[in-house]
């Protein structure tokens, strides 16, 4: 891990220069001349075979590095930033008290999705394109889109770069398009580090690239045994493929098969793990995550700094995030997940996840300003739920019930009620269980879009309480940022 982060963070420093208005796709500053071309990269990689792996480590480091959305904001801390954004947009995470103002005007009051001048639009756009740019640099250096590297190590690195690029396009497509419409131009597509300032292309082209990347990634990552869970392995690539197919809605059976294949190596979190803090990347049920430590040095500007009452954090000092009251009311009293939240109306912290996410020290305001609790990016529970959902959409209710019960039976004493569900009732139960199981993990927004759901905020939100908001409402997607409209000569309009 130290080797990964020491080398990776050095590469990340270089990659952090990728986004500089207006030309945020400029070459990374990796040499004293200011740029490293793909030819130079290939030559350097020939002399030092560890270079592609090191650069890929740098791209991974960007997923948890502060400021990677191009701001100095305390909501800009890599991939987990957008878990918070999306959970708040979907309404499952309620901003129940606001002292410092983070997320209120721009996200929970929908300022950014309705006004392209809000910085959050630019932050989301810039972060994911920065990751894409880093992945493209790795892919170019290994020979380009169609190349199959000769060494096994470089095959694995190529597979990781393609999988992470697909992940970034997947989130861009979800954040900037109301719903999948194959013919609607939605985003520029960049297949190489040399590509700059392109026009919007149809969603079908974006999704075709994701599928191509993930097909390659699954093949290239065959047999890969990763050193740590920060890296993407074949299981994670298959899981990402299942998500892409589910969002596209064109092959639910293949999505189901991908989700099932991703499950086999990981047990579901059970018992004390479910209320144990979600703070240890070594938890067997975690498929993908980051081992944070003192050397990495994250502090207040982090996911824990925005979500955990037991850290040096905003929740510790009054910016409270809680489960939506209406969603909480739907959790049965005998469900172990009910105990993840403080259920006491006498306290302002009512319905906060005090028993789901917490620093292991369990001291209010924390024992240190440095974050040592880990980040979870993906759990195997997601795949049980996604397999159940995809089977239901494919019309295979029997398989759907099996996968749903595999999870729910570990959460409640008796899950036999699932045997009587079919059709829309089964789909509705899977969607509810997804929202409960994955609360606060950045997955509710994706499920809302897949299920074409309408959400209604509960009583503990600060705004829009009781208002029904459909998945394809304008307020559920971000605007193409002002800077992109100004500086990209090929883009002058918002998406529909």
């Amino acid at each position: 891990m130290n080797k990964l982060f020491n080398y990776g963070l050095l590469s990340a420093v270089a990659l952090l220069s990728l986004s500089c208005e207006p030309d945020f796709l400029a070459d990374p500053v990796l040499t004293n001349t200011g740029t490293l071309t793909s030819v130079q990269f290939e030559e350097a990689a020939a002399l030092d075979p560890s270079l592609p792996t090191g650069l890929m480590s740098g791209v991974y480091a960007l997923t948890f590095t502060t400021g990677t959305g191009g701001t100095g904001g305390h909501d800009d801390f890599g991939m987990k930033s957008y878990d918070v954004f999306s959970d708040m947009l979907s309404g499952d995470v309620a901003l129940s008290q606001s002292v410092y103002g983070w997320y209120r005007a721009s996200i929970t009051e929908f300022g950014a999705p309705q006004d392209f001048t809000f910085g959050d639009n630019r932050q989301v756009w810039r972060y994911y394109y920065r990751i894409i740019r880093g992945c493209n640099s790795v892919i170019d250096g290994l020979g380009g889109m169609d190349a199959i590297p000769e060494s096994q190590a470089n095959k694995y690195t190529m597979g990781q770069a393609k999988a992470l690029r697909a992940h970034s396009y997947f989130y861009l497509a979800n954040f900037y398009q109301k719903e999948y419409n194959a013919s609607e131009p939605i985003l520029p597509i960049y297949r190489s580090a040399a590509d700059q300032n392109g026009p919007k292309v149809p969603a079908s082209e974006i999704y075709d690239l994701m599928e191509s990347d993930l097909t390659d990634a699954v093949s290239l990552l065959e047999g890969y045994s990763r050193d740590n869970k920060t890296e993407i392995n074949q299981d994670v690539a298959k899981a990402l493929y299942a998500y892409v197919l589910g969002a596209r809605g064109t092959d639910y059976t293949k999505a189901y098969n991908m989700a099932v294949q991703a499950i086999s190596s990981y047990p579901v979190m059970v018992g004390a793990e479910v209320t144990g803090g979600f703070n240890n990347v070594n938890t067997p049920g975690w498929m993908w995550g980051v081992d944070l430590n003192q050397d990495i040095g994250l502090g207040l500007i982090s996911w824990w700094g925005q979500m955990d009452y037991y850290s040096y954090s905003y929740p510790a000092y009054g910016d409270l995030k809680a489960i939506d009251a209406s969603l909480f009311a739907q959790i049965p009293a005998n469900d172990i997940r009910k105990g993840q939240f403080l259920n006491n109306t006498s306290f302002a912290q009512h319905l906060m996840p005090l028993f789901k996410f917490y620093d292991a020290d369990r001291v209010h305001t924390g024992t240190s300003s440095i974050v040592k609790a880990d980040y979870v990016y993906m759990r195997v529970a997601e795949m049980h739920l996604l397999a159940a959902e995809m089977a239901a959409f494919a019309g295979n209710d029997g398989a759907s019930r099996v996968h749903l019960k595999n999870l729910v039976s570990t959460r409640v004493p008796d899950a036999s009620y699932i045997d009587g569900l079919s059709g829309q009732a089964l789909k509705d139960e899977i969607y509810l269980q997804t929202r409960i199981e994955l609360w606060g993990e950045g997955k509710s927004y994706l499920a809302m879009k897949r299920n074409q759901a309408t959400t209604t905020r509960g009583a503990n939100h600060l705004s829009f309480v009781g208002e029904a908001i459909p998945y394809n409402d304008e307020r559920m997607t971000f605007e193409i940022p002002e800077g992109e409209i100004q500086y990209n000569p090929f883009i002058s309009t918002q998406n529909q």
Side-chain angles (χ1 to χ4, degrees), residues 104-144:
R104 186 166 187 178
S106 60
I107 301 298
T108 66
E109 295 178 354
F110 305 124
Q114 297 179 91
D115 183 349
F116 77 153
T117 67
F118 270 72
D120 288 350
N121 296 298
R122 176 175 175 270
Q123 182 179 324
V124 176
W125 185 274
R126 191 162 177 166
Y127 168 76
Y128 286 109
Y129 273 115
R130 180 171 286 183
I131 298 295
I132 289 167
R133 173 64 175 151
C135 291
N136 282 343
S137 294
V138 174
I139 292 166
D140 288 352
L142 292 172

Side-chain angles (χ1 to χ4, degrees), residues 278-282 286 290-292 304 372-376:
F278 282 68
N279 53 35
N280 189 345
V281 74
N282 294 317
W286 288 25
V290 182
D291 181 7
L292 298 179
W304 292 98
K372 59 185 181 296
D374 299 335
Y375 278 169
V376 57

Side-chain angles (χ1 to χ4, degrees), residues 35-56:
T35 64
L36 178 66
T37 67
S38 60
V39 172
Q40 290 172 320
F41 185 92
E42 288 182 79
E43 292 172 349
L47 295 172
D48 181 3
S50 68
L51 180 60
T53 302
L55 184 57
M56 191 65 220

Side-chain angles (χ1 to χ4, degrees), residues 213-225:
D213 274 353
L214 290 167
T215 298
D216 290 347
V218 169
S219 176
L220 290 164
L221 291 169
E222 177 69 35
Y224 177 52
S225 179

